[in-house]
């Protein structure tokens, strides 16, 4: 319980299940580019201040970083193809301020209720944003890269400070309630978008300008309910 830091050598390819689980004083770890797998509960309950998962990592096990609520920043590499259930459960606190995400699929509820998260960088490797992924965050602006094809239901719901969003040219679908109760002032829907889910911009009371692209086929009800 008194372990505060660890250096993992380049010879390591796997960090096993529960390897450092409950090391409650562990605040610093460097994961080398040789690591491809992080096991279940591997760092659960530690005191990591920052997390950098390199591009070499392809899978993160269930609850791997559960309750690491001391994090101030998180960076996930582009090689990740599998994220286990609850891998980042309960990591949000008043400390997590920034996130850089280069993985392909952003899991559902990844950073939900990270109420102080105000900086988000999405890499060109990201293809979809999961349900409620950034719900109730403190983001003020977001750039969705061209690689993203789908924004999930409730993805940015309740991000009440979100006043600017740039939607990429590859986007096909905007989910229901995706930008509900945000502070967006204007929205440009790219030509690539074919469907917008119900109540997508409900409660966005600061909206003054919306530009629709030419590709829209389906718009569900309540799109601008309670929005000005």
């Amino acid at each position: 319980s008194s372990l505060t830091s660890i250096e993992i050598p380049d010879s390591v390819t796997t960090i096993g299940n529960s390897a450092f689980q409950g090391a409650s004083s562990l605040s610093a770890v460097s994961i080398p580019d040789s690591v491809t797998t992080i096991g279940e509960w591997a760092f659960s309950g530690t005191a990591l201040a920052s997390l950098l998962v390199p591009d070499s990592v392809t899978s993160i096990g269930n609850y791997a970083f559960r309750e690491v609520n001391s994090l101030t920043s998180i960076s996930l590499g582009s090689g990740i193809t599998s994220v286990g259930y609850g891998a980042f459960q309960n990591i949000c606190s008043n400390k997590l301020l920034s996130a850089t995400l280069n993985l392909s699929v952003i899991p559902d509820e990844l950073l939900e209720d990270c109420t102080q998260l105000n900086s988000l960088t999405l890499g060109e490797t990201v293809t979809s944003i999961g349900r409620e992924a950034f719900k109730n965050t403190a983001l003020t602006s977001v750039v969705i890269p061209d690689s993203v094809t789908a924004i999930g239901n409730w993805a940015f719901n309740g991000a009440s400070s979100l006043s600017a969003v740039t939607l990429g040219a590859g986007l096909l679908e905007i989910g229901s309630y995706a930008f509900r109760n945000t502070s967006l002032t204007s929205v440009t829907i790219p030509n690539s978008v074919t469907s917008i889910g119900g109540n997508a911009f409900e409660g966005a009371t600061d909206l003054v300008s919306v530009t629709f692209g030419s590709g829209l086929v389906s718009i569900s009800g309540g799109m601008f309910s309670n929005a000005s």
Side-chain angles (χ1 to χ4, degrees):
S1 61
S2 60
L3 180 68
T4 59
S5 65
I6 185 168
E7 293 184 14
I8 299 175
D10 291 340
S11 55
V12 172
T13 59
T14 299
I15 298 175
N17 295 346
S18 302
F20 302 100
Q21 181 183 5
S24 57
S25 299
L26 182 61
S27 59
V29 64
S30 176
I31 301 173
D33 291 338
S34 57
V35 172
T36 60
T37 303
I38 298 175
E40 297 181 0
W41 301 91
F43 293 95
S44 175
T46 60
L48 296 178
S50 63
L51 175 62
L52 173 59
V53 177
D55 294 342
S56 60
V57 172
T58 60
S59 67
I60 297 175
N62 298 339
Y63 305 110
F65 297 96
R66 185 176 186 268
E67 294 185 350
V68 184
N69 53 25
S70 51
L71 287 167
T72 60
S73 65
I74 181 174
S75 178
L76 302 181
S78 61
I80 299 171
T81 57
S82 174
V83 177
Y85 179 80
F88 297 95
Q89 189 177 70
N90 298 340
I91 69 167
C92 286
S93 68
N94 292 334
K95 298 178 181 179
L96 187 60
L97 303 178
S98 65
T100 299
L101 306 176
N102 292 302
L103 68 173
S104 176
V105 176
I106 295 177
D108 295 345
E109 305 172 3
L110 177 63
L111 298 178
E112 178 188 8
D113 295 330
C114 288
T115 56
Q116 299 302 310
L117 181 71
N118 57 33
S119 175
L120 175 65
T121 302
L122 300 176
E124 291 289 345
T125 55
V126 177
T127 59
S128 66
I129 297 173
R131 172 178 52 83
E132 301 180 42
F134 305 107
K135 181 181 177 181
N136 298 334
T137 56
L139 296 171
T140 58
S141 64
V142 172
V143 176
I144 308 296
D146 293 345
S147 56
V148 172
T149 60
I151 297 175
N153 298 342
W154 309 88
F156 295 94
N157 173 58
S160 58
S161 297
L162 184 62
S163 59
V165 63
T166 300
L167 302 176
L171 187 63
L172 301 176
E173 176 186 353
I174 298 173
S176 299
Y177 302 96
F179 294 98
R180 178 178 179 266
N181 291 344
T182 59
S183 295
L184 294 176
T185 57
S186 66
V187 176
T188 298
I189 310 295
N191 294 332
S192 56
V193 173
T194 59
S195 68
I196 299 176
N199 304 81
F201 298 94
E202 177 185 344
T205 56
D206 294 323
L207 267 178
V208 295
S209 172
V210 178
T211 302
F212 291 98
S214 60
L216 273 172
V217 175
S218 171
I219 300 177
S220 298
M223 182 176 178
F224 299 110
S225 178
N226 298 321
S228 60

